[in-house]
């Protein structure tokens, strides 16, 4: 074992920890299944913002000042770009969280998990179209296979496919906005994005609660605190720590631990059923993931921190 490998052990552990935690996110969400998805989202955003603000003010003052200084010293067009994509990032993350919560609690875990298998490949396509990023032949083959997988799911149940695509697209576009803002501190950006999110959804609590008659008791608040602290903020920090030394490609591979665990729980713990057609789709997407990630050793190290999955991922994403 080389010294380099030994030194990277904590970073691999952090990356594994982040995606293993996110892999178990159906548990706190299922515990809140009797409550409206919008109500869960409202409290998740509120508590996550409170935690992140406390962390930034207590432990990350230097990064906050550095981000503000960077924005202040930038050109007017860059400041406008910062404001636009920070706003878009907050909006996309909010939509992604709401859709994921709804799908896990009202459709099935498989649909939510499938979306995060599709997400990296959809992100690659958007990167090619919007950012002019190059794709290798094996990656185009993987994209074609993922399209076949979508066709298989869609031929069986179009609703599940549409929800998977919307979740994957919202997070993929979120990642694109983060690539554009890669010069800024990710924790500070996320704090600003969620602060914007809560600013807009805050006045509409009655709408998000859907007139729910269910009393918000100790169990509700306990599960929301766990969802926000343990399944949102904690894995996010683990993921960002891992990205200090591991490449985005390596993090991208580790990312698939998340939906794989979701699938295992869906079938073995929550007793969900599937069809041969869906099994074929899942196998196809798994094969496409393997093909897409071939020849990773030839990639250059990238420290832009682009793969930040769901907080729901996900980060953030779930």
């Amino acid at each position: 074992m080389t010294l380099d490998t030994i030194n990277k052990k904590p970073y691999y552990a952090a990356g594994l920890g982040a995606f293993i935690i996110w892999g178990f996110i159906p548990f706190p969400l299922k515990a809140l299944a009797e409550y409206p998805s919008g109500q869960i989202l409202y409290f998740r955003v509120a508590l996550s913002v409170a935690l992140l603000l406390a962390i930034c003010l207590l432990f990350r003052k230097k990064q906050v000042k550095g981000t503000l200084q960077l924005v202040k010293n930038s050109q007017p067009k860059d400041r406008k770009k910062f404001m636009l994509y920070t706003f878009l990032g907050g909006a996309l993350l909010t939509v992604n969280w709401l859709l994921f919560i709804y799908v896990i609690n009202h459709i099935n875990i498989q649909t939510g998990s499938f979306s995060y298998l599709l997400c990296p490949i959809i992100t690659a396509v958007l990167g090619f179209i919007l950012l002019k990023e190059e794709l290798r032949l094996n990656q185009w083959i993987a994209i074609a296979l993922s399209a076949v997988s979508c066709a298989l799911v869609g031929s069986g149940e179009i609703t599940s496919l549409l929800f998977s695509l919307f979740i994957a697209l919202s997070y993929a576009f979120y990642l694109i906005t983060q690539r554009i803002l890669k010069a800024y501190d990710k924790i500070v950006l996320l704090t600003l994005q969620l602060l914007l999110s809560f600013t807009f959804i805050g006045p509409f609590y009655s709408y998000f609660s859907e007139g729910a008659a269910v009393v918000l008791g100790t169990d509700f608040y306990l599960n929301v605190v766990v969802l926000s602290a343990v399944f949102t903020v904690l894995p996010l920090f683990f993921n960002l720590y891992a990205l200090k030394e591991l490449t985005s490609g390596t993090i991208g591979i580790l990312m698939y631990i998340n939906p794989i665990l979701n699938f295992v729980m869906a079938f073995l713990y929550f007793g969900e059923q599937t069809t041969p057609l869906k099994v074929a789709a899942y196998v196809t997407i798994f094969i496409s993931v393997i093909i897409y990630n071939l020849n990773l050793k030839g990639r250059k190290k990238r420290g832009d921190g682009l793969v930040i999955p769901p907080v729901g991922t996900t980060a953030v994403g779930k």
Side-chain angles (χ1 to χ4, degrees):
M1 184 177 292
T2 64
L3 181 62
D4 183 60
T5 304
I6 294 172
N7 290 340
K8 288 186 178 180
K9 269 187 174 182
Y11 301 98
Y12 279 106
L16 284 169
F19 297 116
I20 289 172
I21 290 172
W22 274 319
F24 287 92
I25 200 171
F27 282 101
L29 291 179
K30 284 292 188 183
L32 295 166
E34 64 181 307
Y35 301 95
S37 300
Q39 194 171 35
I40 299 169
L41 173 73
Y42 184 94
F43 282 97
R44 184 185 184 186
V45 171
L47 289 173
S48 295
V49 166
L51 282 168
L52 287 167
L53 280 174
I55 290 166
C56 284
L57 294 175
L58 293 174
F59 305 109
R60 299 182 66 84
K61 290 182 181 179
K62 182 179 178 181
Q63 288 83 355
V64 172
K65 290 178 180 178
T67 300
L68 293 176
Q69 193 63 42
L70 188 59
V71 174
K72 183 180 178 181
N73 294 339
S74 61
Q75 297 294 322
K77 64 176 183 179
D78 292 326
R79 282 198 294 272
K80 289 179 181 178
K81 184 185 290 186
F82 173 83
M83 290 186 286
L84 173 63
Y85 288 111
T86 299
F87 172 81
L88 285 176
L92 288 165
L93 203 55
T94 304
V95 170
N96 179 266
W97 283 10
L98 179 61
L99 288 174
F100 186 77
I101 291 169
Y102 178 82
V103 164
I104 293 296
N105 283 346
H106 300 286
I107 299 181
N108 55 49
I109 297 171
Q110 299 169 56
T111 299
S113 303
F114 186 71
S115 65
Y116 282 102
L117 286 173
L118 288 174
C119 183
I121 293 178
I122 290 178
T123 305
V125 174
L126 290 177
F128 173 78
I129 296 170
L130 300 176
L131 304 179
K132 310 305 179 186
E133 296 178 345
E134 294 183 3
L135 291 171
R136 301 189 305 274
L137 176 60
N138 62 295
Q139 293 173 322
W140 281 115
I141 293 171
I143 290 166
L145 282 174
S146 68
V148 171
S149 181
C150 287
L152 289 171
V153 171
S155 63
E157 190 178 346
I158 191 66
T159 301
S160 294
L161 174 63
L162 289 175
F163 270 108
S164 290
L165 286 174
F166 283 137
I167 292 172
L169 281 168
S170 62
Y171 192 65
F173 275 112
Y174 172 74
L175 289 178
I176 294 295
T177 66
Q178 299 315 287
R179 289 185 179 182
I180 294 169
L181 298 177
K182 63 182 179 181
Y184 302 94
D185 182 83
K186 290 294 180 287
I187 290 291
V188 176
L189 272 180
L190 180 65
T191 305
L192 289 173
Q193 289 163 353
L194 291 186
L195 192 58
L196 279 170
S197 171
F198 190 72
T199 299
F200 288 108
I201 69 174
F204 303 102
Y205 175 74
S206 59
Y207 174 79
F208 281 99
S209 63
E210 299 175 15
V214 183
V215 177
L216 302 184
T218 304
D219 287 346
F220 174 84
Y221 290 111
L222 180 61
N223 278 296
V224 171
V225 168
V226 169
L227 179 63
S228 302
V230 180
F231 289 90
T232 303
V233 176
L234 178 62
L236 172 64
F237 275 110
F238 281 168
N239 191 52
L240 289 176
Y241 178 76
L243 280 164
K244 287 182 178 181
E245 288 296 328
L246 304 184
T247 65
S248 292
T250 300
I251 295 294
I253 292 175
L254 294 178
M255 175 184 177
Y256 294 111
I257 294 171
N258 176 356
I260 289 170
L261 284 174
N262 288 170
F263 278 120
V264 170
M265 284 189 297
F267 298 130
L268 298 185
Y269 186 86
F270 291 102
E272 290 188 3
Q273 302 297 315
T274 190
T275 64
L277 203 60
K278 280 189 175 182
V279 171
Y282 301 151
V283 171
T284 302
I285 194 67
F286 278 128
I287 292 171
S288 73
V289 165
I290 293 169
I291 293 173
Y292 183 87
N293 287 291
L294 290 176
N295 303 322
L296 282 176
K297 290 183 179 180
R299 293 184 179 179
K300 294 180 180 179
K301 178 175 176 177
R302 296 175 61 186
D304 50 16
L306 305 180
V307 185
I308 306 179
V311 170
T313 103
T314 76
V316 181
K318 289 188 176 180

